[in-house]
Amino acid sequence: MPAQSDVSVSCVKENVWVFGYGSLIWKPNFKYEKVLPGHIEGVSRKFWQGSRDHRGTSEKPGRVATLVEDPQGTVCGLGFELSPEEADATFTYLDDRETGYKLKEVVFCPSDPSQSIQKVLVYTATESNPDFLGPSASRSWQNVLQPVWDNPVQTRSTCSTWPI
């Protein structure tokens, strides 16, 4: 099931921004004009989305990051500026990569105050998604996140920053 959208990204005529808060931070795999560190508000990052293809199997989905509504929450990440020429190909790629996620528009606040605040598009899973797992009863990173990373140091480091 490709990503769903509350916003239209077809026929983009000007630059558009995408917010990355999980694997897009270190593995975007698309062309972009500019990248800025910053944050979005009103959400928290959680490993509550199941993945049967990128991070798990049909029998045992792996956990991947998503965003959940949280009025007190702030999530740091990267804003990627896309050119109109690259937008269609990028969203086709991301819709497939972010299977089961929903695309929505939010406000992005760059870390550098000299940069202007932008509206960005962000992929997030909701409880209506059949692969939405919600919180885990397990606090063991190995049980919760494997096979996310083969490197346990990277797993512990990431998890200490991004609470489940």
Side-chain angles (χ1 to χ4, degrees):
M1 173 176 66
Q4 302 171 349
S5 178
D6 286 340
V7 294
S8 174
V9 293
S10 61
C11 303
V12 172
K13 296 189 180 5
E14 57 188 47
N15 286 11
V16 62
W17 288 78
V18 174
F19 182 72
Y21 58 88
S23 61
L24 287 184
I25 292 173
W26 59 83
K27 191 177 180 184
N29 281 354
F30 55 83
K31 294 180 183 176
Y32 51 88
E33 298 289 310
K34 184 181 194 179
V35 61
L36 295 174
H39 71 274
I40 60 175
E41 297 176 349
V43 291
S44 288
R45 178 184 5 240
K46 304 288 185 182
F47 282 99
W48 287 6
Q49 171 66 12
S51 174
R52 299 172 191 280
D53 51 358
H54 301 306
R55 296 287 188 256
T57 66
S58 294
E59 299 78 37
K60 189 174 181 181
R63 286 185 176 260
V64 293
T66 190
L67 301 178
V68 295
E69 300 294 323
D70 177 358
Q72 306 303 314
T74 298
V75 173
C76 295
L78 297 176
F80 297 93
E81 183 179 24
L82 310 176
S83 71
E85 297 78 25
E86 295 294 334
D88 283 341
T90 299
F91 284 110
T92 298
Y93 164 73
L94 289 174
D95 285 350
D96 181 59
R97 176 176 166 164
E98 305 300 322
T99 299
Y101 283 64
K102 190 173 186 177
L103 188 61
K104 70 179 193 175
E105 188 176 70
V106 297
V107 174
F108 172 69
C109 303
S111 298
D112 179 350
S114 71
Q115 299 289 326
S116 60
I117 292 175
Q118 303 288 336
K119 290 195 175 184
V120 295
L121 299 174
V122 63
Y123 286 87
T124 181
T126 65
E127 292 182 30
S128 63
N129 177 324
D131 288 322
F132 187 84
L133 301 175
S136 172
S138 172
R139 296 303 294 175
S140 165
W141 301 127
Q142 183 177 15
N143 293 336
V144 173
L145 295 175
Q146 289 302 328
V148 174
W149 295 288
D150 292 329
N151 181 336
V153 174
Q154 183 180 10
T155 302
R156 281 191 299 274
S157 174
T158 300
C159 293
S160 67
T161 307
W162 298 350
I164 293 177

